[in-house]
Amino acid sequence: MLQRPASAPLSTPEQLGARAHRTWLLFAAIALLVVAAALYGAGRYARTAAIEALAAQGRTDANLKVALLRAVLENPRALPLLLSEDQQVRDALTQKSSASIDTLNRKLEGLVSGTKASVLYVIGTDGLAIASSNWREPISFVGTDYTFRDYFTRAMQAGTAEYFALGNVSKRPGLYISRRVGGADASLGVVVVKAEFDQLEADWHEANRPAYVSDEHGVVLITSIPSWRFMTVAPLTGQDLAAVRNSQQFGDAPLMPLPISRPQALSPDVTVVHAITPGGSDGEYLRLSTAVPTTAWRLDYLVPTEGPVAAALREMRLLALGVIIPLIGLAAYLLWRRQSALMRIAAEQAARTELERRVTERTLDLSRARDRLQAEITGHRGTEAKLQGVQQELVQANRLAILGQVAAGVAHEINQPVATIRAYADNARVFLDRQQTAPVEENLGAIAALTERIGAITEELKAFARKGRTAAEPVELRAVIEGALVLLRSRFAGQLDALAIDLPPPALMVMGNRVRLEQVLINLFQNAVEALEGRKDASVRVSVAETGNEVTVSVSDNGPGIPLEILRSLFTPFNTSKEKGLGLGLVISKDIVADYGGRIEVASGDSGTSFTIFLCKAA
């Protein structure tokens, strides 16, 4: 390492720190690049080595599977040859008597039980099966026409044939091996043996590695995954697909391509692919392909690569890290020692200056904190004074609001009796002009009663303003309804015909005060009549019902209903839809009913509005 010249000035700790920071960043970048390169190289090497090892092992396994498949094929191939020369087969084909056919059926049945063949049957020259090893079973082949089968026509022409197909009777796949009986000029029929590969597929399935055999068209015939049977290695062309469909070789199988994609050829017989297995996800496999001798088939064997490759990657990368990390750590330690030595020298030189600077800064911070504290104290005092002033203004505003509501309520409630007094006075003047003193005396008596009522209302409102309540007492509900009608009759002359009232019996008593309950009914009757003003079909229904310990009074009209924005805050002071209304009638009515333990409910719609008063029934 280079040493600083003795005559050069020392750097400050800040400069050394900045330089060290840049140095460590560069060191980290170089270290990351070295680690990344090592991991990448180790990964490439590990993957290549793992793939080669899997390919070698896979070739061995694939060759063993091919050998096993050939062994399975050789056993049934000898049967057609032997049976084509058997005299009992020839007798049955030439004589076609019941005795010869029965003898042949029993012989075929015995041969199947001692061999690995699935079924043996003999077909005449007309394509009809005359004898079969399954002649006793419901799915017997006897009498079935096989002229459409390729293995029959080719055996009749060439002498022998092998054909893999789906059984048209048994609906089970298998290899059909056929041989002609007799010469080409004197053919007697065809002997067929069907070989199935259930045990072979089961053995392959236990290995837990997908394997499948495909024919010259690329259709999967034998496979360790049953759902892959009759799928294709590659999409079939239109001509090949039509030929396979017409032959009925694979029944109604969809012949869809296998779920294998993204092939990457490593050699002519080794390919890396991605396959989706039943119940699993997309995984990487090594596909090894090899031809099956004595057939036109090809065996593909899939070896999972993700687990072995991941293990090889992990092992090789850990080995690479085990070599690289100690070297990087040693280099970092040497770099840290050099920087620590330089930093210690600079720190000792600047220690006194740094201490003085910190003392000066601390003193300045304390002075600033003191100034801020004094400013905050002054601000808090000013805010407290403003808050007290606002509180006083709110108290005054609250008093004015309460005073306004009480004054408006007095005006609203007295307005009804005053209007009635005016009506009685006008009537009295008319009766005096007619010199009818008796009605005049009645009107003057009513006026006197109404003035007493005004006084009672004033006292009630004063009691309400003092947050007091008039004591509840038993009141005759019928008298309350009739009293409310008396006050409204002179004001709404001719309009009260719309009222249909079912008066309760005189004995029905409720808890309350007659004057205050009349105020409630007057408000509801007046609102209902005014809502129906100008309607020819105006109707207001007033009914009374007893429900247990409660008495309900319902006032229902067929008016246009209450607007939604008014209905939401119907019992809020000064909320009204009338041009000259104050919006206090329903508020006062609700408070009166609540004072006596009752409540008011409202329901309104396009067909009208209904107010229901719930009162406590007097015992």
Side-chain angles (χ1 to χ4, degrees), residues 387-401:
L387 181 60
Q388 291 178 355
V390 171
Q391 289 176 343
Q392 293 176 0
E393 292 176 359
L394 289 176
V395 171
Q396 183 64 19
N398 186 38
R399 291 177 181 174
L400 292 175

Side-chain angles (χ1 to χ4, degrees), residues 92-110:
L93 287 172
T94 55
Q95 299 173 9
K96 294 184 179 181
S97 63
S98 300
S100 61
I101 291 176
D102 183 66
T103 301
L104 182 57
N105 278 330
R106 297 179 184 277
K107 181 173 185 174
L108 296 178
E109 184 179 24

Side-chain angles (χ1 to χ4, degrees), residues 138-467:
I139 58 171
S140 171
F141 291 178
V142 177
T144 304
D145 186 359
Y146 290 99
T147 55
F148 70 97
R149 284 300 196 185
D150 187 65
Y151 60 80
F152 172 75
T153 57
R154 283 167 51 192
M156 290 291 290
Q157 296 171 1
T160 183
E162 291 187 2
Y163 187 72
F164 194 99
L166 183 69
N168 64 319
V169 175
S170 64
K171 303 301 180 183
R172 293 177 57 83
L175 177 64
Y176 295 85
I177 304 172
S178 60
R179 191 172 185 88
R180 185 180 60 211
V181 180
D185 297 334
S187 175
L188 300 177
V190 175
V191 176
V192 183
V193 57
K194 180 182 179 182
E196 296 182 356
F197 304 91
D198 294 347
Q199 185 59 46
L200 179 66
E201 290 178 334
D203 294 340
W204 286 1
H205 182 73
E206 290 179 359
N208 203 24
R209 290 187 175 183
Y212 56 91
V213 176
S214 56
D215 63 7
E216 66 275 12
H217 297 293
V219 179
V220 175
L221 306 178
I222 306 169
T223 174
S224 61
I225 301 178
S227 61
W228 284 10
R229 181 177 289 112
F230 299 152
M231 299 185 77
T232 61
V233 175
L236 296 180
T237 62
Q239 184 176 1
D240 292 342
L241 181 61
V244 173
R245 290 293 188 198
N246 293 335
S247 69
Q248 301 182 19
Q249 182 178 2
F250 306 114
D252 298 329
L255 301 178
M256 298 295 294
L258 287 170
I260 299 176
S261 61
R262 292 179 279 174
Q264 299 177 4
L266 301 181
S267 65
D269 63 337
V270 179
T271 308
V272 176
V273 298
H274 283 76
I276 301 177
T277 57
S281 57
D282 185 5
E284 185 182 76
Y285 291 84
L286 196 65
R287 182 174 64 187
L288 296 101
S289 300
T290 182
V292 180
T294 71
T295 69
W297 297 350
R298 190 169 190 84
L299 181 138
D300 288 335
Y301 181 53
L302 301 183
V303 180
T305 62
E306 293 181 348
V309 169
L313 288 175
R314 182 168 55 253
E315 181 179 352
M316 190 57 64
R317 285 173 176 171
L318 287 175
L319 179 62
L321 290 176
V323 175
I324 295 297
I325 294 300
L327 295 178
I328 293 176
L330 178 60
Y333 173 72
L334 295 176
L335 179 60
W336 172 78
R337 282 194 60 183
R338 180 177 183 277
Q339 290 181 347
S340 297
L342 294 176
M343 185 66 72
R344 184 171 60 255
I345 295 172
E348 291 175 356
Q349 183 181 9
R352 184 175 300 172
T353 304
E354 179 67 17
L355 179 59
E356 293 177 355
R357 184 184 63 81
R358 290 183 178 180
V359 170
T360 302
E361 289 180 354
R362 184 60 178 169
T363 303
L364 182 59
D365 290 341
L366 292 175
S367 299
R368 290 175 179 174
R370 180 198 60 196
D371 295 340
R372 287 196 301 268
L373 183 59
Q374 290 179 349
E376 289 177 0
I377 291 173
T378 303
H380 286 319
R381 289 176 180 174
T383 302
E384 185 177 357
K386 291 180 181 179
L387 181 60
Q388 291 178 355
V390 171
Q391 289 176 343
Q392 293 176 0
E393 292 176 359
L394 289 176
V395 171
Q396 183 64 19
N398 186 38
R399 291 177 181 174
L400 292 175
I402 294 173
L403 181 60
Q405 290 181 4
V406 172
V410 171
H412 181 81
E413 293 300 326
I414 292 180
N415 185 53
Q416 296 173 351
V418 169
T420 306
I421 291 173
R422 176 63 183 270
Y424 277 127
D426 291 341
N427 290 340
R429 184 180 295 108
V430 173
F431 288 135
L432 286 176
D433 292 340
R434 297 177 182 176
Q435 295 183 354
Q436 298 178 359
T437 59
V440 172
E441 290 179 357
E442 292 179 3
N443 288 350
L444 291 177
I447 289 172
L450 288 172
T451 56
E452 293 179 359
R453 177 174 179 77
I454 291 173
I457 291 173
T458 304
E459 291 299 325
E460 291 293 338
L461 291 176
K462 286 180 180 179
F464 176 75
R466 293 192 300 268
K467 298 183 179 179

Side-chain angles (χ1 to χ4, degrees), residues 552-565:
T552 60
V553 181
S554 299
V555 181
S556 305
D557 64 64
N558 61 345
I562 302 173
L564 183 59
E565 61 274 9

Side-chain angles (χ1 to χ4, degrees), residues 24-188:
W24 280 112
L25 287 178
L26 179 60
F27 179 83
I30 295 174
L32 287 176
L33 288 176
V34 171
V35 171
L39 291 178
Y40 176 76
R44 290 293 300 271
Y45 176 79
R47 178 176 175 82
T48 302
I51 292 295
E52 290 178 354
L54 288 174
Q57 180 63 38
R59 287 190 184 94
T60 302
D61 294 343
N63 292 332
L64 290 175
K65 291 183 182 298
V66 169
L68 180 61
L69 176 60
R70 289 187 61 189
V72 173
L73 289 174
E74 291 304 323
N75 289 331
R77 281 176 174 171
L79 288 174
L81 176 62
L82 296 175
L83 289 174
S84 65
E85 302 296 333
D86 187 84
Q87 187 59 42
Q88 291 179 339
V89 174
R90 292 175 177 267
D91 293 343
L93 287 172
T94 55
Q95 299 173 9
K96 294 184 179 181
S97 63
S98 300
S100 61
I101 291 176
D102 183 66
T103 301
L104 182 57
N105 278 330
R106 297 179 184 277
K107 181 173 185 174
L108 296 178
E109 184 179 24
L111 288 174
V112 165
S113 62
T115 65
K116 295 183 179 180
S118 174
V119 63
L120 284 166
Y121 53 104
V122 178
I123 305 174
T125 55
D126 57 356
L128 295 177
I130 64 170
S132 174
S133 61
N134 62 359
W135 63 285
R136 299 177 186 271
E137 300 176 9
I139 58 171
S140 171
F141 291 178
V142 177
T144 304
D145 186 359
Y146 290 99
T147 55
F148 70 97
R149 284 300 196 185
D150 187 65
Y151 60 80
F152 172 75
T153 57
R154 283 167 51 192
M156 290 291 290
Q157 296 171 1
T160 183
E162 291 187 2
Y163 187 72
F164 194 99
L166 183 69
N168 64 319
V169 175
S170 64
K171 303 301 180 183
R172 293 177 57 83
L175 177 64
Y176 295 85
I177 304 172
S178 60
R179 191 172 185 88
R180 185 180 60 211
V181 180
D185 297 334
S187 175
L188 300 177

